[in-house]
Amino acid sequence: MNRYLKLVHMEIYRFRYILGGLMALTAVFQISALVSTLLRELSRRELLGENASGSPLSFAWAVASTNFWFIIPMLICIAVIAMYVFWIWYRDWVGRSSFIYRLLMLPTSRRHIYLAKGTAILLFILSLLSFQMVLLLVENMIFNLIVPAELRVESFFAEIIQSNLALKVLVPQSFEQFFYAYGLGMLAVFVIFTAIMLERCYRGIGILYGILYVGACVLVVTSPVLFLGLDESIYYFYPGEILAIASALCGIVLVISLLLGFRLLGRKITV
Amino acid sequence: MIEVVDIHKRYLRKKVLSGVSFTAEKGQITCLIGINGAGKSTILKAIMGLIPLNSGSIRIDGEQTGKAVYEKAAFVADHLTMPLAMKLSEGFQFMEEFYESWDSERACELMQFFKLDPKERIGNLSKGNAAKYSLLLGLSQDTEYVLMDEPFSGIDMFSKELITEVFASELMGERGVLLTTHEIHDMEYLIDKAVLLQDGVVRKSFNCEDMRSSEGKSVTDVMREVYQP
């Protein structure tokens, strides 16, 4: 357990500059877009003399008005994390130094390496999400500093989240939705990890095994919706039952991915 | 004792190892000799559990390869095995955190001996210094066996001398050393046992001192007989 936590720490340490860069990029894009939008709006109102008569400005309005510049850094973060799901493994094999030798020779269970990389990805996602939440508070403060008190109204946090297309998806309003969205995301990460293990163990033919494995997992996970949910002429199951079947299948795919990944890393891996 | 018994390894249809068997004892330097592609590195990787075997068995002091073995045997690869962005001192910290067998004092001594700068990034090391650093990481573990893959490959004369000095020093102690090479001249006088490999098969295995005293042949002489009959 102790060594697992050390491995998680090491993975985070290795990604720290990229993570910091992504956070800085998000902050720069969003704050500069917010400031320029607010200044433009205030000067427009001043020119038209709408300051007293116009509707008050809210932070939710400001976020909605800068939708594009809010979404771009989020998409960049998602793309970088998606690429890093692969790179977190391949970086240890390629280049002048093969760190995988050292990792595999650590006097700890090899499953800790697998789990540590998965945990690190989850922590990167959650830390970027948390940073976005904190950034919204900072942006709200900036909004309050720029917009005079008589021209603004307060926004509720839920209202702010709903005003942005990406935030609406990334920060679901119910915990259940949050659990499903991020649970499915982590399931996808572990399925990809196991596909990478297949490729690393069997190399050339392993690419085919990996693709087939991912395809099979996608088919299994989506099968309740594809075969039981779309054709409304078949009413064998209630939606709640279909959801339960889908959840059970996700659980099975997760367990198989973890067990297969552990076995491949423990017994079949080739440096 | 490291026991390698009838190991077979195949990459697709290509046979890399075909029934290799030998032993490497504690307190001795055993050398796997063979030209490129003979299967030397594959054997070391198999001993350290870095590649799966098709058949055969490997035991270190009677134990199968597993996590406990990594505190008992250290592996010095023929290239760097630490992240290039790390500083040399951070590499030490990493080793200290994960290995109970890590000896910080010895690591500092070797650092001074090899004249390496702990603040330097691993990625900035020259080939010779990278080899020294790899050796340092292997020798600073208080293990009973050290496995080295081509420790003299591509490094300058002075670095070779320094490394050879370490071989002959008390730093090696009573450890068992298993190394590979295709350039025997640098270390012929150091090795106790030679295992000559060709195309994944052990052609000859002998004790160097016995060979010298009984038949008056050096390792190079035996190599000529085996490889150029």
Side-chain angles (χ1 to χ4, degrees):
Chain A
M1 189 65 184
N2 193 18
R3 283 185 175 129
Y4 156 73
L5 292 176
K6 282 177 185 171
L7 282 169
V8 174
H9 171 258
M10 186 207 63
E11 290 294 347
I12 293 169
Y13 188 73
R14 292 176 81 190
F15 194 66
R16 67 195 186 284
Y17 291 127
I18 301 174
L19 194 65
L22 289 174
M23 287 175 175
L25 183 87
T26 308
V28 168
F29 265 66
Q30 293 186 358
I31 291 173
S32 53
L34 180 76
V35 170
S36 71
T37 303
L38 288 176
L39 292 178
R40 204 168 46 242
E41 178 63 17
L42 286 175
S43 64
R44 190 188 69 82
R45 285 183 175 217
E46 204 176 314
L47 269 175
L48 298 174
E50 280 182 10
N51 275 351
S53 58
S55 58
L57 295 173
S58 69
F59 182 55
W61 167 85
V63 171
S65 307
T66 49
N67 234 324
F68 178 77
W69 295 107
F70 263 64
I71 291 173
I72 286 292
M74 290 183 209
L75 289 179
I76 293 172
C77 290
I78 293 167
V80 170
I81 294 286
M83 283 190 279
Y84 198 69
V85 168
F86 293 88
W87 189 234
I88 199 170
W89 285 105
Y90 286 105
R91 68 181 295 179
D92 293 334
W93 260 276
V94 299
R96 197 178 145 213
S97 171
S98 307
F99 189 44
I100 193 68
Y101 277 67
R102 181 59 57 202
L103 287 178
L104 294 178
M105 290 191 296
L106 290 177
T108 182
S109 174
R110 285 186 183 172
R111 69 183 58 183
H112 289 165
I113 302 167
Y114 186 101
L115 289 174
K117 286 184 190 287
T119 310
I121 295 285
L122 179 65
L123 289 175
F124 298 152
I125 295 167
L126 293 180
S127 56
L128 283 170
L129 198 63
S130 316
F131 177 76
Q132 179 61 77
M133 297 295 102
V134 173
L135 191 59
L136 280 175
L137 294 177
V138 173
E139 286 161 355
N140 198 8
M141 282 163 61
I142 294 170
F143 173 84
N144 289 341
L145 285 173
I146 293 174
V147 181
E150 64 274 17
L151 295 181
R152 65 174 190 248
V153 285
E154 290 299 314
S155 301
F156 293 108
F157 202 72
E159 206 184 335
I160 298 164
I161 300 294
Q162 287 302 310
S163 63
N164 183 282
L165 291 172
L167 284 175
K168 228 188 299 187
V169 178
L170 293 173
V171 192
Q173 282 197 316
S174 76
F175 178 75
E176 201 183 340
Q177 277 178 311
F178 181 88
F179 181 78
Y180 287 139
Y182 286 86
L184 271 178
M186 281 315 292
L187 175 64
V189 167
F190 284 122
V191 167
I192 291 170
F193 274 12
T194 300
I196 292 170
M197 290 296 96
L198 283 166
E199 189 279 323
R200 288 289 85 192
C201 290
Y202 300 102
R203 301 296 162 109
I205 192 77
I207 298 173
L208 183 66
Y209 292 163
I211 292 169
L212 287 175
Y213 181 72
V214 171
C217 289
V218 170
L219 189 67
V220 169
V221 168
T222 55
S223 60
V225 179
L226 288 177
F227 303 121
L228 303 171
L230 292 181
D231 187 353
E232 291 184 7
S233 63
I234 303 167
Y235 285 107
Y236 293 128
F237 298 101
Y238 290 110
E241 288 172 337
I242 293 174
L243 187 68
I245 294 169
S247 304
L249 287 174
C250 286
I252 291 168
V253 169
L254 178 67
V255 170
I256 290 174
S257 294
L258 289 175
L259 293 179
L260 183 59
F262 294 163
R263 188 174 172 80
L264 290 169
L265 192 59
R267 302 262 178 94
K268 294 277 178 196
I269 205 79
T270 299
V271 292
Chain B
M1 180 167 64
I2 298 174
E3 294 168 274
V4 175
V5 183
D6 194 27
I7 58 170
H8 291 255
K9 175 68 187 171
R10 212 174 38 237
Y11 288 114
L12 296 176
R13 287 181 186 175
K14 192 187 171 200
K15 280 185 179 178
V16 183
L17 301 174
S18 309
V20 172
S21 300
F22 67 90
T23 58
E25 277 86 22
K26 223 179 274 183
Q28 286 193 350
I29 298 180
T30 305
C31 189
L32 294 177
I33 303 165
I35 55 167
N36 292 331
K40 308 180 295 291
S41 301
T42 308
I43 293 171
L44 294 195
K45 286 180 197 169
I47 294 171
M48 295 308 287
L50 298 173
I51 53 163
L53 288 169
N54 295 106
S55 64
S57 70
I58 294 170
R59 285 194 173 77
I60 299 181
D61 290 340
E63 274 180 69
Q64 295 271 11
T65 307
K67 60 180 180 178
V69 161
Y70 301 126
E71 294 283 13
K72 196 175 261 190
F75 179 46
V76 180
D78 60 348
H79 58 271
L80 287 162
T81 56
M82 295 296 267
L84 301 179
M86 265 188 189
K87 289 177 184 165
L88 269 57
S89 56
E90 289 173 335
F92 280 10
Q93 205 183 326
F94 174 88
M95 296 295 284
E96 191 169 11
E97 279 180 9
F98 284 95
Y99 291 91
E100 282 171 20
S101 59
W102 181 254
D103 185 339
S104 301
E105 223 171 275
R106 186 185 291 167
C108 292
E109 278 173 33
L110 280 166
M111 194 79 140
Q112 285 175 343
F113 178 77
F114 284 133
K115 297 184 181 72
L116 295 172
D117 178 7
K119 287 178 198 152
E120 181 137 35
R121 297 241 173 239
I122 294 173
N124 293 339
L125 293 175
S126 65
K127 191 159 188 180
N129 282 346
K132 288 177 200 165
Y133 187 63
S134 294
L135 189 65
L136 186 157
L137 291 180
L139 295 181
S140 299
Q141 282 177 260
D142 200 9
T143 53
E144 287 162 49
Y145 299 94
V146 184
L147 280 64
M148 298 181 195
D149 194 8
E150 304 276 3
F152 296 121
S153 174
I155 60 171
D156 64 80
M157 189 179 79
F158 301 110
S159 299
K160 274 182 192 174
E161 279 175 9
L162 267 181
I163 293 172
T164 313
E165 213 177 300
V166 171
F167 270 73
S169 74
E170 61 181 25
L171 275 166
M172 300 313 288
E174 276 305 297
R175 301 185 205 209
V177 178
L178 177 62
L179 54 88
T180 68
T181 188
H182 59 273
E183 299 163 18
I184 193 67
H185 303 290
D186 301 308
M187 58 179 81
E188 183 165 354
Y189 70 97
L190 287 172
I191 62 177
D192 299 299
K193 185 177 177 181
V195 179
L196 305 191
L197 283 164
Q198 194 175 29
D199 299 330
V201 177
V202 175
R203 293 289 175 206
K204 194 163 186 130
S205 174
F206 57 93
N207 183 296
C208 303
E209 193 51 47
D210 291 349
M211 182 62 76
R212 265 189 286 268
S213 56
S214 63
E215 296 186 37
K217 288 175 188 167
S218 66
V219 178
T220 314
D221 295 333
V222 182
M223 281 174 71
R224 279 208 183 88
E225 282 177 11
V226 172
Y227 296 123
Q228 296 173 323

